[in-house]
Amino acid sequence: EPRLVVYLESIAGPFLNVKPYLELDGYFQLNPRRYDWALYAGITADLGIVVRGWDDDWGELPSWNLLDYKTDPPLASGKYPPGWQSPEEVVNSIGMKFRRIQPGSFMMGSEKGWDDETPVHKVTLTRGFYMGVYEVTQEEWEKVMGSNPSEFKGPKNPVETVSWHDAQEFARRLSQKENVTYRLPTEAEWEYACRAGTTTEFYWGDDPDCREMGDYAWYYYNSGETTHPVGQKKPNARGLYDMSGNVWEWCQDWYADKYSSASQTDPTGPAGGSGRVDRGGGWRSYAFGCRSAWRGWNSPSDRGDGLGFRLVRAIP
């Protein structure tokens, strides 16, 4: 099996030339684990390199600059090393967590909602992606943007009163800061991640009497007319929190008032329109508006105290 030779520069120290001798969870461990720290690297499909440092006390150490690498023997272009895959969860430099969503197919929409949720149709997503575990919080927004526009202040509360354009600018700056692509999810990606394999009205079941609603979502009857810190309710089966309620979440797509009945592969919505999609319902929504298939839209310049977002992080 090929060995990976990575040339790194520590911001705080000298050059390193290290060779891996074992693999852990999709990463090559570059040094035998010593004391309480370790350094890992993985090869992406296009032969890019992901490098992560880890300290048991301090967590991830993003202090390594990748200078060069090679494999011995060389890998065929576009091939993963045996058994390599992206990690299940990643945490970025400002503490945002992302869960890996595998490619797959699902039935998008509902026949039990509004007309714009129909017809139910098959969607196939051919590329995996990382989905934000939580809605973007106010403290994360401030670290990137330097201000906080939210009506309901709280560092762990979702940022709100942000337009679609504002969310795009946040993603642009974060991408530039980390040299990794961040973006809003497409509407199909959002529903696929939300459903987490379910076909019911909510990701915890049909819940016709809303007896479980309060366990999973902040909505009209339990929110107290405000947002709440992210992650306090139960997650879906993919480990994503607040996919129902708390704040509506901007998506990338332009809004269309009806789906196509044809099967779709990696859909990105119509080419134009007057409104951008938002999903999931929010703190002032009734239960019906927090269903997995529920669709909303706003002008991309709209801002409101119920409008927020979560991000997708590209898998290299």
Side-chain angles (χ1 to χ4, degrees), residues 4 16-24 27-41 54:
L4 173 67
L16 297 176
N17 177 2
V18 287
K19 296 183 179 182
Y21 293 98
L22 62 150
E23 295 181 35
L24 294 176
Y27 278 96
F28 289 99
Q29 185 170 359
L30 298 183
N31 63 293
R33 190 172 178 86
R34 297 188 184 97
Y35 306 109
D36 59 354
W37 72 278
L39 190 63
Y40 302 88
W54 186 265

Side-chain angles (χ1 to χ4, degrees), residues 4 6 26-28 41-52 66 69 71 75-82 84-87 90 130 179-180 313-316:
L4 173 67
V6 181
Y27 278 96
F28 289 99
I43 306 178
T44 67
D46 59 356
L47 296 187
I49 295 289
V50 177
V51 178
R52 296 179 68 192
L66 177 66
Y69 72 94
T71 58
L75 293 173
S77 177
K79 299 292 185 182
Y80 285 94
W84 191 88
Q85 64 176 354
S86 54
V90 296
Y130 284 114
N179 198 30
V180 176
R313 171 179 163 132
I315 293 178

Side-chain angles (χ1 to χ4, degrees), residues 73-295:
L75 293 173
S77 177
K79 299 292 185 182
Y80 285 94
W84 191 88
Q85 64 176 354
S86 54
E88 188 73 23
E89 183 174 284
V90 296
V91 182
N92 71 8
S93 65
I94 63 171
M96 298 173 70
K97 288 185 179 182
F98 295 83
R99 295 284 293 177
R100 188 179 73 234
I101 309 298
Q102 300 281 26
S105 299
F106 75 111
M107 300 305 292
M108 185 172 181
S110 174
E111 301 293 348
K112 300 179 181 180
W114 298 110
D115 286 346
D116 67 352
E117 299 170 20
T118 64
V120 175
H121 58 291
K122 184 178 181 179
V123 169
T124 299
L125 300 177
T126 63
R127 297 182 297 273
F129 57 95
Y130 284 114
M131 188 72 154
V133 171
Y134 310 109
E135 295 158 333
V136 174
T137 66
Q138 294 173 33
E139 65 179 359
E140 291 163 353
W141 178 274
E142 288 190 61
K143 288 176 181 178
V144 175
M145 305 297 282
S147 62
N148 184 1
S150 303
E151 176 70 20
F152 305 113
K153 294 292 194 290
K156 299 294 186 182
N157 287 40
V159 67
E160 24 84 4
T161 318
V162 291
S163 69
W164 183 89
H165 296 297
D166 295 334
Q168 294 285 349
E169 179 61 16
F170 178 88
R172 186 192 70 79
R173 293 190 191 185
L174 185 60
S175 298
Q176 186 176 52
K177 172 182 173 65
E178 298 215 331
N179 198 30
V180 176
T181 299
Y182 292 92
R183 58 176 175 81
L184 291 175
T186 66
E187 186 176 17
E189 288 172 336
W190 191 98
E191 187 170 329
Y192 178 66
C194 175
R195 286 190 175 280
T198 65
T199 58
T200 49
E201 292 301 289
F202 303 96
Y203 49 81
W204 57 90
D206 284 321
D207 200 10
D209 299 321
C210 300
R211 293 181 179 179
E212 295 181 76
M213 186 81 188
D215 294 334
Y216 289 88
W218 294 110
Y219 72 122
Y220 181 82
Y221 288 111
N222 68 355
S223 68
E225 299 186 343
T226 185
T227 62
H228 291 264
V230 300
Q232 292 189 334
K233 297 297 186 179
K234 292 181 179 179
N236 72 3
R238 290 196 168 104
L240 307 178
Y241 293 81
D242 300 304
M243 294 296 285
S244 288
N246 218 4
V247 290
W248 290 263
E249 299 180 15
W250 286 112
C251 291
Q252 181 66 31
D253 305 32
W254 289 106
Y255 173 80
D257 60 8
K258 210 163 186 67
Y259 291 133
S260 168
S261 60
S263 296
Q264 303 285 315
T265 299
D266 299 323
T268 56
S274 59
R276 296 284 185 174
V277 172
D278 48 68
R279 284 299 206 111
W283 60 266
R284 62 161 64 91
S285 298
Y286 293 102
F288 187 80
C290 295
R291 294 174 303 109
S292 300
W294 181 90
R295 307 176 70 210

